[in-house]
Amino acid sequence: LKVLSIDKLLELDKFKVKLIRDHQRLVFHDVFECTHGKFVASKSGATAHKELDRRMLSGCSGHTHRAGKIMVSKNNVTYQWMELGFLGNSNSGFEFMGSAPPDWQKAVGIVHMYHNGDENWKVRMDLIEADKDNSFYYNNKLYTPKGILTF
């Protein structure tokens, strides 16, 4: 039943939000992609290499709950990919594969896209480590779950 779909139950249209399923991807100006991610590698940043090698387009993904940023240059173009980490409860006692606490990092990705007068869009990305309470510092501001503090 369509009325029981997740987007209808959450009334996403009321908030002008479009649901993007985990197998879908968003591409901005043909230069930056956001996706859930398909690959997993054993070290932070290694999954970013796999995602970038597959697409040769700058972007970001989650999926592994690890944080990492890589840059690769081909034909005088620099591409970047970020693994965005996670902002969940790391004190949940969760054990990865039943053996040890998971190798996950708290991080936030900031993406800047700009057009500098030529025909090409430019992408700049920052990967910022988040604290245990999910707060992070960026551009002279401390972003916390309770609000923003300016310095």
Side-chain angles (χ1 to χ4, degrees):
L1 293 171
K2 196 170 192 175
V3 71
L4 294 177
S5 66
I6 191 75
D7 48 337
K8 295 295 181 198
L9 289 171
L10 295 175
E11 299 179 347
L12 297 181
D13 55 339
K14 177 179 171 182
F15 300 101
K16 297 181 180 168
V17 172
K18 181 181 176 190
L19 178 66
I20 304 296
R21 307 237 177 247
D22 65 354
H23 63 279
Q24 293 176 313
R25 60 194 190 114
L26 293 173
V27 178
F28 299 92
H29 304 292
D30 295 323
V31 296
F32 186 83
E33 177 180 332
C34 293
T35 183
H36 177 85
K38 289 188 172 209
F39 301 104
V40 174
S42 63
K43 295 189 175 15
S44 173
T47 299
H49 278 283
K50 289 184 175 191
E51 295 285 356
L52 186 56
D53 289 346
R54 178 172 175 251
R55 294 171 176 79
M56 208 40 63
L57 179 73
S58 292
C60 64
S61 57
H63 190 59
T64 65
H65 297 205
R66 292 188 188 99
K69 176 184 168 188
I70 57 112
M71 299 172 76
V72 173
S73 296
K74 295 212 177 182
N75 300 323
N76 293 324
V77 176
T78 299
Y79 302 95
Q80 306 171 65
W81 198 275
M82 285 192 300
E83 294 178 67
L84 294 175
F86 86 116
L87 295 175
N89 180 0
S90 56
N91 295 325
S92 65
F94 180 83
E95 291 186 355
F96 184 68
M97 312 259 319
S99 62
D103 179 20
W104 295 349
Q105 295 87 44
K106 290 182 173 276
V108 174
I110 308 286
V111 178
H112 304 272
M113 295 185 73
Y114 63 95
H115 201 272
N116 67 349
D118 63 11
E119 295 182 13
N120 300 314
W121 281 89
K122 308 294 182 196
V123 177
R124 299 294 177 260
M125 300 190 299
D126 296 307
L127 185 64
I128 302 157
E129 182 180 7
D131 292 330
K132 289 180 183 177
D133 69 349
N134 295 333
S135 62
F136 63 94
Y137 183 81
Y138 180 74
N139 201 23
N140 294 324
K141 293 179 183 173
L142 179 64
Y143 294 81
T144 74
K146 296 180 180 176
I148 301 171
L149 303 173
T150 303
F151 296 93

